[in-house]
Amino acid sequence: MPEPIPIIDLSRLSAGSAEEFDKLRSALENWNLFLAVGHGMEPSFLAEAMKATREFFNLPIEEKQKYSNIVDGEKMSMDGYGNDMVVKENQVLDWNDRLNLLVEPESLRTYRLWPTQPPSFRDVLSEYTVRCKAATNIVLRNMAKMLNLQEEHLVNMIGDNSITLAIFNYYPQCPRPDHVLGLKAHTDGSIITINFADAEGLQLENNGVWYNVPIVPNALVMNIGDIMEILSNGVFKSLVHRVVTNAEKERLSVVLVYTLELETQLEPVSELVDDKRPARYMKIKLNDYMEKFLDTYATGTLAIDGVKIRI
Ligand SMILES: O=C(O)CCC(=O)C(=O)O
Ligand SMILES: [Fe+2]
């Protein structure tokens, strides 16, 4: 049994604590994930964000459909309310209901798809976006140090046009939790992902074993995504995770997925490639990677496996 999933205090990290830095390093090495406290968001603010999410999903279906992700009756857009795009005959569907909203860059927000009910939803999401960014930047500065890069290297890669997606997940009670997953096993197409959930259900894979990610009040779950694995030339690994269903309880999660500009050529940072450690991932435009990502997600395979260079 490995050590328990570590809880990292971001305020200690930003104050330069060497002990917290080592703890974060070991969390990332052993789990590809950690729980973050000291992120500066008051419990009352997090409760408000969760309440707004719950109130949205509690709306009548006709109300939620106003934000549907279906364009012209058939195509699905990245933004909006609805389930996964069904793109394959053999697709395994998830037991969940989702709302996806692009939150950054602000110029690309589709406010038409931002719920007006509950009335607090928009403001809470805008504030949540700003406050999570501060938490993410603390972690990215420390991860850059671990890679022997300049402290701002990763923070600076997230430019003004980088895409951040908010994903609101609702998992209804499920009569047969032994038969269906809330979300099938996957990695995130992110640099880093921040997840705030109201109940257990998230599981991570570590050396072929599934572990429950505990709920620690007011802690955020932060995990490594595919983009970070590629940028770091495999030093950091993208987290394989899934969500199980529950017969008695419904569950909600609010997830922020940080990516780059869609035109970015994804490849390992040049400082991390040399003769001793050649590039382990193929070069690919983020846009193209995202397309592969949706395709592989649908069939339950991993996009990251498709860009690994076998050495
Ligand atoms: O609901 C959760 O806790 C996880 C959601 C997730 O993994 C995702 O939206 O990518
Ligand atoms: Fe995920």
Side-chain angles (χ1 to χ4, degrees), residues 296-307:
T296 51
Y297 183 81
T299 52
T301 56
L302 300 180
I304 190 79
D305 288 339
V307 295

Side-chain angles (χ1 to χ4, degrees), residues 282-301:
M282 290 170 218
K283 225 190 244 196
I284 182 166
K285 217 160 78 176
L286 179 59
N287 226 344
D288 297 333
Y289 189 74
M290 288 306 172
E291 219 166 278
K292 271 184 197 293
F293 189 88
L294 288 178
D295 236 41
T296 51
Y297 183 81
T299 52
T301 56

Side-chain angles (χ1 to χ4, degrees), residues 31-33 186-188 202-205 213 221-226 229 237-241:
W31 291 103
N32 310 329
L33 164 148
H186 67 283
T187 58
D188 295 336
L202 177 64
Q203 295 188 331
L204 65 80
E205 198 247 15
V213 178
V221 176
M222 296 182 78
N223 67 266
I224 298 171
D226 292 0
E229 176 166 337
K237 293 285 194 299
S238 193
L239 178 80
V240 179
H241 56 290

